[in-house]
Amino acid sequence: MSALLVTGAALLGAAAGWAAVPVARSFVTVSAAGAPRRDAFALVGAVVFGGLAARGADPALPALLLVAAAGLVLAVTDVTALRLPDPLVGVVALGGGLGLAAATAATGEPRRLAVAVAGTAFSFTGYALLALLPRARLGFGDVKLAAALGLPLGWLGWPTLRLGLLLPHVLGGAAVLVLLAAGRVRRDTPVPFGPALLGGAWLAAVLT
């Protein structure tokens, strides 16, 4: 059953990744030259969905997959246009919230939903403070996405939330160092942080 669940989720993720680029074009301008390869995003989607399903048949899995699907589109918009459109972030927040409310009803554990809401507040506060620091490179779109991701991370537990808040900075810092070393960016070049937020949240979910 577990292998079937992972396989089915991976196939669904491949479809979501394949669709992410054209869906992103309805929110931002994505040139043909600057668009990520759809087959590459299909592979990313398969890994992301399959990894979440490998955690087991969790009642929250549909909510996590919905967040992941919206996250794939957000990764495209941020990489290509340095934008995290509010409607997509809203899908992460509202869709994830409704899905987790249904999971809470199924499990009969309202405490987990309370921790999820606390996770959102904690994430928003932490990233808002970071964005206000002098020379901060976080935009308010990053803050809103971090808050939306705090909901599923909080539902999965405080250790997952803590890791999900830490890993984006590790991933983002490593990506910047690689791009600097390759001469792709300069120190003052804006670099999208949304993919690091999404990747960190996913790693936290599958590792804890």
Side-chain angles (χ1 to χ4, degrees):
M1 178 62 180
S2 178
L4 186 60
L5 177 65
V6 172
T7 301
L11 291 174
L12 184 62
W18 181 262
V21 174
V23 172
R25 285 197 174 99
S26 64
F27 293 94
V28 299
T29 300
V30 180
S31 66
R37 290 180 53 178
R38 295 182 70 181
D39 55 350
F41 255 77
L43 177 60
V44 171
V47 171
V48 168
F49 276 48
L52 293 173
R55 300 181 69 255
D58 192 311
L61 182 59
L64 298 179
L65 295 183
L66 175 60
V67 169
L72 290 169
V73 183
L74 281 164
V76 177
T77 64
D78 206 19
V79 167
T80 58
L82 290 175
R83 283 188 55 205
L84 296 168
D86 285 343
L88 288 172
V89 176
V91 170
V92 173
L94 182 60
L98 292 175
L100 292 178
T104 300
T107 59
E109 296 182 71
R111 184 192 67 81
R112 295 189 73 174
L113 188 59
V115 175
V117 173
T120 295
F122 188 75
S123 299
F124 176 80
T125 302
Y127 273 87
L129 290 174
L130 288 175
L132 293 174
L133 292 175
R135 286 200 247 177
R137 305 194 114 191
L138 287 176
F140 199 63
D142 298 315
V143 175
K144 288 183 283 188
L145 178 58
L149 292 173
L151 191 66
L153 289 173
W155 201 89
L156 293 173
W158 287 111
T160 306
L161 177 64
R162 288 193 295 268
L163 190 59
L165 293 177
L166 172 65
L167 283 175
H169 300 283
V170 176
L171 296 176
V176 169
L177 289 176
V178 170
L179 291 171
L180 284 170
R184 299 287 299 275
V185 300
R186 297 182 312 215
R187 291 184 180 275
D188 58 348
T189 303
V191 176
F193 192 63
L197 281 169
L198 294 160
W202 177 76
L203 278 174
V206 300
L207 292 176
T208 55

